[in-house]
Amino acid sequence: MRKFIYTLAITILFVISSCQKSQVARKPISQSSGSFMKESVDRNKKLIAGEKEEIARVIRQNKKIKFIASSKGYWYAYATVNPKDSLTPKKGDVALFDYEVKDLKGRIIYSKNELGPQTYFVDKQNIMAGLREGIKLMHRKEKINFLFTSHIAYGYHGDNNKIGTNKPLLCIVTLRDFMSEADYDKKMKATTNPVSKIQNDSVTN
């Protein structure tokens, strides 16, 4: 009897030990997201570096045009300069502008007529990041050629229409005018509710 109990105890201990080893073997291995993030950052750096090289090639091919590198990560060249005006749009203003969009080979993606006149409440509306910054350095009546890398254009997703993923762009912008929001409101009210002149057609004897 004692021998049977001893054998049973040994068997139970063996089963418990096997289960514990099996559980340890099946324990999931945690995967750190650090390596994935690093790979993603490295890919983005390579992508931006490649786009900057494309832009540098465009600049080299257009030696007669003086492109200026901005601190915001884009390049620009004046087509029309207004040296008499020192004011530029700021938050609280409304900018009225026209623009067209091309790829880096100069092929039109969106024409000025297709896009139509633009009304932009400075820093209060969601527009292309490059345009948002570029407009704020313009004077009235100026026309500027902007070269944008994709991360300050439409990025990975594009515009879900003609602009695909990760596309650097050439945007040609003309700032027609800008004014304070208060002045813009007055202008709109005057346009939508014109004061009609009352003509006195009464006949006097």
Side-chain angles (χ1 to χ4, degrees), residues 12-29:
I12 291 171
L13 288 173
F14 176 78
V15 171
I16 292 173
S17 176
S18 298
C19 289
Q20 289 177 340
K21 288 179 180 180
S22 177
Q23 289 174 354
V24 170
R26 287 196 297 267
K27 185 177 180 181
I29 299 172

Side-chain angles (χ1 to χ4, degrees), residues 78 80-87 139-143:
Y78 288 91
T80 304
V81 182
N82 177 9
K84 296 180 181 180
D85 199 345
S86 61
L87 300 177
H139 303 128
R140 289 181 179 88
K141 310 301 181 184
E142 286 189 334
K143 183 178 182 180

Side-chain angles (χ1 to χ4, degrees), residues 46 58 69 124 148 187 190 193:
K46 289 179 181 178
V58 171
K124 293 186 178 181
F148 298 130
K187 182 178 179 180
N193 299 301

Side-chain angles (χ1 to χ4, degrees), residues 5-204:
I5 293 172
Y6 176 77
T7 302
L8 181 62
I10 293 296
T11 302
I12 291 171
L13 288 173
F14 176 78
V15 171
I16 292 173
S17 176
S18 298
C19 289
Q20 289 177 340
K21 288 179 180 180
S22 177
Q23 289 174 354
V24 170
R26 287 196 297 267
K27 185 177 180 181
I29 299 172
S30 62
Q31 183 177 0
S32 173
S33 62
S35 59
F36 173 79
M37 292 298 295
K38 184 178 183 301
E39 289 174 3
S40 179
V41 169
D42 290 341
R43 280 196 302 270
N44 287 334
K45 285 181 178 179
K46 289 179 181 178
L47 175 68
I48 293 171
E51 291 180 6
K52 286 182 176 180
E53 178 53 37
E54 287 185 65
I55 289 173
R57 191 180 304 117
V58 171
I59 294 173
R60 288 195 299 269
Q61 291 171 349
N62 293 273
K63 294 180 180 180
K64 293 182 179 180
I65 300 174
K66 183 182 178 181
F67 279 94
I68 303 167
S70 78
S71 60
K72 300 291 185 179
Y74 60 85
W75 292 258
Y76 62 99
Y78 288 91
T80 304
V81 182
N82 177 9
K84 296 180 181 180
D85 199 345
S86 61
L87 300 177
T88 57
K90 61 184 183 302
K91 188 173 182 178
D93 288 338
V94 180
L96 309 175
F97 68 97
D98 301 313
Y99 77 116
E100 63 181 359
V101 181
K102 298 182 179 182
D103 64 18
L104 294 190
K105 293 183 178 180
R107 295 173 298 202
I108 294 176
I109 301 174
Y110 293 112
S111 68
K112 183 175 72 172
N113 291 336
E114 189 175 2
L115 293 170
Q118 301 290 311
T119 301
Y120 169 53
F121 287 74
V122 180
D123 285 346
K124 293 186 178 181
Q125 284 180 273
N126 185 25
I127 64 170
M128 189 196 309
L131 274 181
R132 185 171 63 241
E133 296 300 329
I135 285 171
K136 288 187 288 188
L137 63 80
M138 299 183 72
H139 303 128
R140 289 181 179 88
K141 310 301 181 184
E142 286 189 334
K143 183 178 182 180
I144 296 182
N145 299 318
F146 292 98
L147 292 169
F148 298 130
T149 54
S150 64
H151 79 286
I152 54 173
Y154 287 96
Y156 175 77
H157 295 287
D159 73 339
N160 298 317
N161 194 0
K162 293 184 179 182
I163 299 173
T165 181
N166 297 324
K167 292 293 183 183
L169 299 173
L170 165 63
C171 293
I172 303 170
V173 183
T174 302
L175 182 62
R176 291 183 282 110
D177 198 4
F178 67 91
M179 63 198 74
S180 68
E181 290 183 22
D183 287 344
Y184 178 75
D185 288 341
K186 290 177 184 177
K187 182 178 179 180
M188 287 296 97
K189 288 177 182 178
T191 303
T192 55
N193 299 301
V195 177
S196 58
K197 293 182 179 179
I198 301 175
Q199 183 176 359
N200 187 352
D201 291 329
S202 59
V203 178
T204 56

